[in-house]
Amino acid sequence: MSAPERIPPRSVTTAELLARGELTVRGQIRDASNAVLHCSVAYDGQEALCVYKPVRGERPLWDFPDGTLAQREVAAYEVSEATGWGLVPPTVLRDGPFGEGMCQLWIEGVPGSELLALVDGEEPEPGWRAIGLAEVDQGRTALLVHADDERLRRLAVLDAVINNADRKGGHLLPAEGGRLYGIDHGVTFNVENKLRTLLWGWAGEPLPEEAVDVLKGLRKALSGDLAARLAALITPAEIDATRARVDALLESGKHPEPSGEWPAIPWPPV
């Protein structure tokens, strides 16, 4: 009699794990402006670390509707996935120990990948892009620069699309395999121009051909499946504004420049 055929265990996707797994709170990230809980999530024999941000832990903001930051984080992930660049860790909206919230795969940053620096002088060295002058101590100023890195440039395009109002240095996570992730996308998708970022090094320069192709794909997706997914997360007006930002980027063919109507760099920058 032959042995019974072994059925390999079913592969659980990261989205399934995050959405259906049992969340166990391991601790709280204290330096965050909203409630951010470090958790483990387990489902069908698989486990991972994640971040859980319950809606009830969000602080009210004057320029964003209350209780919407978690949805905006998920919307940023959806747009990131539509670009094909995979710049935002897998993120879902789900119930948890403290109610509905955002659940995002934990990314362990890899040290030693320098993306930001303060340097003396008025011009950046080769391989770096200038952001602006910053006061460092006792009235002394230094030039704040970011790496001239293709991954950062992609993230700058994504931020322009989602209207990211808070792209700080601490929101950049270099990971294993040369990957770069952006996190903390709660203040995005506002209908008003609120782009605040450290990634101004390409401001006014022509978009790379790759970015133009991605934006064309986004324009199409925003009239199809992506728009349907976003409709459960942000308002129709915010979806329309996202389409308009994509159209504006394609029409200009350039990276956006600071508008002068809103502080261009978040504070603190890191």
Side-chain angles (χ1 to χ4, degrees):
M1 183 176 179
S2 61
E5 181 182 357
R6 285 193 172 187
I7 301 175
R10 184 176 71 88
S11 178
V12 176
T13 67
T14 303
E16 279 185 296
L17 179 61
L18 293 174
R20 299 182 181 181
E22 181 180 358
L23 278 176
T24 301
V25 177
R26 299 163 62 102
Q28 183 174 1
I29 299 173
R30 295 288 183 179
D31 58 355
S33 56
N34 297 296
V36 181
L37 303 176
H38 186 213
C39 301
S40 61
V41 59
Y43 179 69
D44 203 14
Q46 298 196 34
E47 186 173 356
L49 297 177
C50 62
V51 170
Y52 163 52
K53 299 182 183 180
V55 171
R56 64 197 288 186
E58 295 176 4
R59 295 181 181 179
L61 298 172
W62 69 269
D63 52 348
F64 284 83
D66 293 349
T68 67
L69 305 191
Q71 292 91 328
R72 295 172 193 278
E73 295 242 30
V74 180
Y77 167 70
E78 293 287 356
V79 174
S80 168
E81 287 299 283
T83 66
W85 286 333
L87 295 169
V88 179
T91 313
V92 302
L93 194 67
R94 59 161 293 168
D95 282 330
F98 299 100
E100 185 177 62
M102 176 277 270
C103 185
Q104 184 176 83
L105 185 69
W106 177 269
I107 300 297
E108 196 66 46
V110 175
S113 180
E114 192 175 18
L115 299 173
L116 297 168
L118 282 168
V119 298
D120 293 323
E122 298 181 355
E123 295 294 333
E125 296 291 330
W128 294 90
R129 294 276 179 157
I131 302 168
L133 292 172
E135 185 172 335
V136 287
D137 62 81
Q138 299 179 347
R140 187 174 72 86
T141 60
L143 186 65
L144 181 61
V145 297
H146 67 69
D148 191 358
D149 187 306
E150 178 187 65
R151 301 168 302 168
L152 288 180
R153 193 165 191 172
R154 290 173 174 175
L155 199 55
V157 174
L158 176 67
D159 284 344
V161 171
I162 66 176
N163 198 14
N164 192 351
D166 196 31
R167 175 60 73 205
K168 296 177 180 177
H171 300 168
L172 305 172
L173 290 182
E176 293 287 352
R179 296 288 301 272
L180 177 70
Y181 292 98
I183 60 170
D184 286 344
H185 298 104
V187 286
T188 50
F189 295 100
N190 202 299
V191 295
E192 298 180 5
N193 178 18
K194 292 185 178 291
L195 184 60
R196 290 199 306 173
T197 176
L198 289 178
L199 306 181
W200 288 116
W202 300 280
E205 292 190 9
L207 292 165
E209 184 176 346
E210 176 200 36
V212 172
D213 290 341
V214 164
L215 289 168
K216 289 178 179 177
L218 270 183
R219 180 162 61 184
K220 183 177 180 181
L222 283 166
S223 298
D225 292 346
L226 177 58
R229 294 193 296 275
L230 292 180
L233 302 165
I234 59 177
T235 68
E238 288 166 342
I239 296 173
D240 287 343
T242 304
R243 291 192 189 100
R245 288 191 294 271
V246 171
D247 287 342
L249 286 167
L250 285 170
E251 183 177 352
S252 72
K254 297 179 180 181
H255 285 274
E257 299 180 80
S259 67
E261 301 172 357
W262 181 260
I265 297 175
W267 187 263
V270 178

